[in-house]
Amino acid sequence: MELHILLIFMIVSALVAIEVKDLLSSVIAVGATGFALCLAFLVLKAPDLAITQLVVEILCLIILIRATIRKDIPLAIEGRWIFNTVATVAFIVVFLFFAQLALKELPAFGYPIMAVVKRYLQEGLAQTGAVNLVSAVILDFRAFDTLGEATVLFTAVIGIMAVLRRPGRKKER
Amino acid sequence: MTLYLLCLLLFCIGLYGVLRKRNLVKMIVGLGIIEYSMNLFFVLLGYRVHGRAPLDARNQDILNMVDPLPQALVLTSIVIGLGVMALIIAIAIRIYEKYGTFDITKIKRLKG
């Protein structure tokens, strides 16, 4: 029940974030969505995810506010209103068609399949010595996944530095 | 099932923001909402009724835990999402410095 309330809150704040005119209000509304997601992870029995989502959400908010502060431009009247809306709705309808095909195949909520993870659950403590099974999976059974994640993160840092760097050399006269 | 549908609705709101809005910051916000809904969907798939968190404890049955595999994958996905978001915002700040606007129809020189 509390999951339904949280999800409806997330949907409302996402609608506010998309539709509000002021950019700073939009960023703060998307922050509200992220913190509701953090609470939803706690309800879903995923404490590691809740902690990570909290930290990541705060960092994202800081970066987004840095991007939008003092750049409050009024949104222009949108041209080609009908064409844009029809194209967007058509795309969403195509997406929903494939989504309902996928929804039929899903297991019922609350009864996961647990085919792969059964071995991890039974042998996790003996093989890795980690009490927390999530960290056993990401740091031992699927350690290369985490290595790839670190690679992606450092690549993103290099990209940010390359994009935001000021040219250091002065022009010689 | 209702939860899956609400999650899908959240995804559609994000998709609408990405496709329909002309402001770069609004598009980034929509991308963030899509990311939230995907992470939530994976964790919803691994939930078990009356389950407990995937931590080993004494005198507890091991088979009533929630599924830890989606949680591990989503942990990776959240951190990568932060990197992607930071890179997108850096590019948006750079575009704003160069063109003085976030409106994608006014950034003319990007057209070929």
Side-chain angles (χ1 to χ4, degrees), chain A residues 5 9 27 39 53 63 66 75 80 82 104 138 145 153 159 163 166 172:
Chain A
I5 298 173
F9 175 75
V27 168
L39 283 179
Q53 175 67 32
I63 303 169
R66 159 73 181 80
L75 296 177
R80 295 201 296 170
I82 296 174
K104 280 182 201 156
I138 64 170
D145 198 2
L153 261 188
V163 168
R166 307 259 170 233
E172 296 176 11

Side-chain angles (χ1 to χ4, degrees), chain A residues 6-71:
Chain A
L6 273 173
L7 257 167
I8 289 170
F9 175 75
M10 281 174 76
I11 288 171
V12 170
S13 64
L15 273 178
V16 170
I18 294 291
E19 284 304 328
V20 78
K21 288 265 194 292
D22 188 18
L23 283 187
L24 194 58
S25 315
S26 164
V27 168
I28 289 170
V30 85
T33 317
F35 288 122
L37 178 64
C38 170
L39 283 179
F41 282 156
L42 266 187
V43 175
L44 285 168
K45 306 280 167 38
D48 319 83
L49 285 184
I51 298 167
T52 316
Q53 175 67 32
L54 192 64
V55 174
V56 163
E57 189 54 45
I58 292 170
L59 280 177
C60 260
L61 267 187
I62 292 172
I63 303 169
L64 265 172
I65 288 176
R66 159 73 181 80
T68 57
I69 200 147
R70 287 202 215 157
K71 287 173 190 169

Side-chain angles (χ1 to χ4, degrees), chain A residues 14 17-18 26-27 30 64, chain B residues 24-34:
Chain A
I18 294 291
S26 164
V27 168
V30 85
L64 265 172
Chain B
L24 269 181
V25 175
K26 285 293 176 74
M27 294 168 81
I28 294 171
V29 161
L31 209 63
I33 290 170
I34 287 181

Side-chain angles (χ1 to χ4, degrees), chain B residues 89-100:
Chain B
I89 293 169
I91 293 173
I93 290 175
R94 201 67 177 158
I95 286 177
Y96 185 84
E97 279 175 4
K98 185 155 175 158
Y99 296 97

Side-chain angles (χ1 to χ4, degrees), chain A residues 20 57 75 78 110 121 131, chain B residues 20 23 26 36 49 56 62:
Chain A
V20 78
E57 189 54 45
L75 296 177
E78 322 216 349
L121 285 183
V131 177
Chain B
R20 181 69 181 83
N23 193 309
K26 285 293 176 74
Y36 293 154
V49 211
D56 269 322
I62 202 167

